[in-house]
């Protein structure tokens, strides 16, 4: 039996769930003793790039649940397009604000990083909610789903073979990727 909530309540609960899920995902790789396959989809180190996975996975889970709960009851043909755009905007926001605050305070801050993550999740859900509520267009989710799949592919490739730039560097031991090459 599926519980049908008002959309605003569903989005609010999804935002809270995503923040909690992202926090759990942050630690699961080390808790489970670093399984290779899991490392392709969850953060494997403290690089900024790896932390972007914290946005992609919860929003994908949200999209699946949303499609299951609301997909047949309402015209939500663009929800995956909005999710994919929200993910990309968060993936721009997090590194941009991370490196901006470092440039200003000349240091890193776990507190600032946590706040950036929470803000990116909140902004993502606000964006998706507003776009979905104002959506009068007939659309198709294929582009959004393909973009999400492309992002997963990019994460897999860059987790295995990351470019040697600051975004991908594990700052604790200056290594890159899952193989620490």
């Amino acid at each position: 039996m599926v519980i049908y909530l008002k959309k605003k309540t569903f989005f609010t609960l999804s935002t809270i769930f995503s923040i909690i899920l992202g926090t759990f995902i942050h630690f699961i790789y080390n808790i489970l003793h670093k399984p290779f396959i899991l490392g392709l989809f969850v953060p494997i180190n403290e690089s900024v790039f790896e932390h972007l996975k914290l946005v992609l996975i919860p929003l994908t889970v949200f999209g699946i649940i949303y499609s299951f709960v609301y997909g047949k009851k309402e015209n939500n043909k663009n929800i995956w397009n909005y999710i994919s755009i929200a993910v990309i905007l968060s993936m721009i926001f997090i590194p941009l604000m991370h490196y901006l605050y470092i440039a200003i305070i000349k240091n890193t801050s776990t507190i600032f990083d946590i706040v950036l993550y929470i803000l990116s999740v909140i902004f993502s859900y606000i964006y998706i909610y507003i776009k979905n509520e104002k959506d009068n267009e007939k659309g198709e989710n294929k582009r959004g789903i393909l973009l999400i799949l492309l992002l997963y592919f990019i994460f897999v490739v860059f987790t295995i073979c990351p470019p040697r730039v600051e975004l991908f560097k594990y700052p604790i031991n200056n290594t890159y990727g899952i193989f620490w090459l």
Side-chain angles (χ1 to χ4, degrees):
M1 181 176 159
V2 176
I3 299 171
Y4 190 77
L5 301 171
K6 290 185 178 183
K7 274 194 191 178
K8 195 175 266 189
T9 303
F10 182 79
F11 272 79
T12 302
L13 293 174
S14 296
T15 303
I16 295 165
F17 172 77
S18 289
I19 291 168
I20 294 167
L21 179 61
T23 303
F24 174 73
I25 289 168
H26 184 275
F27 298 105
I28 194 67
Y29 181 70
N30 287 324
I31 289 170
L32 295 179
H33 306 292
K34 303 180 179 184
F36 177 78
I37 297 296
L38 183 63
L40 299 175
F41 302 101
V42 301
I44 59 168
N45 62 39
E46 294 298 316
S47 72
V48 175
F49 170 76
E50 289 294 326
H51 282 79
L52 299 179
K53 293 176 182 177
L54 300 177
V55 175
L56 180 59
I57 293 169
L59 282 171
T60 303
V61 170
F62 162 77
I64 292 167
I65 294 170
Y66 185 91
S67 296
F68 179 70
V69 173
Y70 294 97
K72 296 192 176 136
K73 296 183 190 253
E74 299 180 25
N75 182 19
N76 293 304
K77 296 190 184 246
N78 290 309
I79 193 71
W80 282 101
N81 296 332
Y82 302 143
I83 291 169
S84 64
I85 292 168
V87 167
I88 291 170
L89 290 173
S90 288
M91 290 180 177
I92 293 168
F93 174 78
I94 290 173
L96 184 67
M97 293 292 107
H98 174 78
Y99 290 118
L100 180 63
Y101 90 72
I102 289 174
I104 293 169
I105 68 171
K106 308 290 187 227
N107 203 352
T108 60
S109 167
T110 302
I111 301 287
F112 280 3
D113 289 336
I114 292 168
V115 169
L116 286 177
Y117 167 67
I118 292 170
L119 287 175
S120 73
V121 171
I122 292 169
F123 292 155
S124 293
Y125 279 99
I126 290 170
Y127 171 80
I128 296 166
Y129 179 79
I130 290 170
K131 292 298 284 183
N132 195 51
E133 285 299 300
K134 292 183 177 183
D135 188 6
N136 293 324
E137 299 176 23
K138 296 214 176 210
E140 195 168 308
N141 279 313
K142 288 179 187 170
R143 282 186 307 245
I145 292 169
L146 286 174
L147 191 51
I148 293 289
L149 292 173
L150 176 63
L151 289 170
Y152 275 105
F153 176 76
I154 290 167
F155 273 107
V156 167
V157 169
F158 286 162
T159 298
I160 294 170
C161 187
R164 299 300 195 255
V165 295
E166 190 69 24
L167 181 70
F168 297 89
K169 185 172 25 174
Y170 180 28
I172 294 172
N173 63 6
N174 294 325
T175 57
Y176 298 86
I178 200 162
F179 295 121
W180 291 22
L181 299 175

